[in-house]
Amino acid sequence: MRTILAGNWKMHTDRAGAVALARAVAIAERAAGVEVLVAPPFPFLEAVVAACSDSAVRVAAQTCHAEAQGAYTGEVSVPMLQSIGVQACIVGHSERRRYDGENDARVAYKVKALLSAGMTAIYCCGEELSEREAGRHHVVVGEQLATALKGLPAEQLGGLVVAYEPVWAIGTGRTATPEQAQEMHGFIREQLVRLLGPAAEPVPVLYGGSCKPDNAAELFALPDVSGGLIGGASLDAGQFLELVRIAARCVAERRGV
Ligand code: PGA
């Protein structure tokens, strides 16, 4: 199983802060078995790509448009991102669903555009608190996955990463319990194989939502959790690198090292 730690900086940092944060992550000792990504705001992408160029750290955007070009004021396309060295993109984040009208039908086009360009798509799904309390979390996440990911060709699935982010856990300090996380990650894996076939078995499923050094070890050690999508804690190089080390320890334990 691949293990990935992705830092989503959201609408934080300035140019100098973004470069300094990227540099701190890039020069850290490489953690065996953990793929590290950082997702700065659009204006700092190129500078962060340069800051990470001598390292294994890959740079992701936080959203993109599905069309390659056109009359879409304010949007940024996949080829544009690729032309400056960006290798991945987060899509369907709950904050974009809530504030920008993003929905799975639109996200489906974005995922297709990213995967056919050979980029990594980090597709976010997750239920609202009211949906979990009503016992509808499986229905909601199952529908999200089906709408956004159905029909993807098996040969492109190497570029797909899913992040399960229960909306009630994002930036709230409240995390899913290990039982809730494992149960939902297992469900997501089953759905991926049902929708996309056996080629979807290795698709990494990250956990996101108030993941911090003090709760990460029990989450990353779960059998169906392939690492994390980290918001708040990714803005502090010390905390983010601690999360990378925790993920690396889980990888070593899995391999029986
Ligand atoms: P958080 O954000 O770690 O601050 O909860 C996670 C995310 O939104 O990706």
Side-chain angles (χ1 to χ4, degrees):
M1 177 161 91
R2 283 165 67 195
T3 300
I4 300 175
L5 246 267
N8 173 11
W9 298 355
K10 309 193 178 184
M11 201 170 73
H12 292 293
T13 69
D14 55 16
R15 191 179 192 285
V19 169
L21 183 52
R23 224 30 229 149
V25 175
I27 62 169
E29 196 180 329
R30 198 169 165 175
V34 183
E35 299 172 42
V36 179
L37 288 105
V38 292
F42 278 135
F44 313 137
L45 279 168
E46 202 166 1
V48 168
V49 167
C52 296
S53 61
D54 58 354
S55 78
V57 176
R58 291 189 294 153
V59 180
Q62 298 175 14
T63 183
C64 65
H65 196 275
E67 296 296 331
Q69 58 178 308
Y72 302 103
T73 301
E75 297 289 347
V76 175
S77 75
V78 172
M80 290 172 187
L81 294 171
Q82 226 170 5
S83 72
I84 57 165
V86 173
Q87 297 182 58
C89 185
I90 299 169
V91 287
H93 192 280
S94 66
E95 286 150 15
R96 294 203 56 83
R97 292 174 190 261
R98 180 176 294 170
Y99 304 121
D100 296 280
E102 188 119 302
N103 59 42
D104 288 291
R106 281 178 62 183
V107 170
Y109 290 110
K110 300 186 184 201
V111 173
K112 280 193 183 71
L114 286 160
L115 297 189
S116 29
M119 301 242 305
T120 295
I122 304 173
Y123 167 72
C124 303
C125 58
E127 78 286 354
E128 301 275 347
L129 182 59
S130 58
E131 294 165 334
R132 179 163 281 269
E133 284 174 347
R136 297 192 62 248
H137 41 293
H138 291 123
V139 176
V140 170
V141 172
E143 279 172 2
Q144 289 175 336
L145 294 167
T147 311
L149 306 180
K150 200 164 179 207
L152 291 174
E155 64 275 12
Q156 290 181 3
L157 295 181
L160 180 64
V161 175
V162 173
Y164 169 58
E165 300 205 307
V167 180
W168 45 272
I170 297 178
T172 57
R174 196 174 155 184
T175 28
T177 63
E179 292 72 30
Q180 288 170 324
Q182 172 52 35
E183 195 271 331
M184 186 55 102
H185 280 240
F187 171 76
I188 290 172
R189 282 189 191 286
E190 273 167 34
Q191 296 303 305
L192 288 173
V193 172
R194 197 178 61 80
L195 288 166
L196 301 167
E201 263 163 37
V203 169
V205 184
L206 314 184
Y207 172 79
S210 298
C211 195
K212 305 268 184 281
D214 60 5
N215 59 26
E218 54 182 8
L219 291 164
F220 295 168
L222 296 168
D224 287 315
V225 173
S226 330
L229 179 56
I230 315 299
S234 72
L235 293 167
D236 177 307
Q239 279 196 47
F240 186 64
L241 291 170
E242 181 58 22
L243 289 169
V244 173
R245 282 190 288 273
I246 293 169
R249 273 203 297 278
C250 291
V251 171
E253 273 157 31
R254 268 192 193 128
R255 289 179 181 162
V257 181

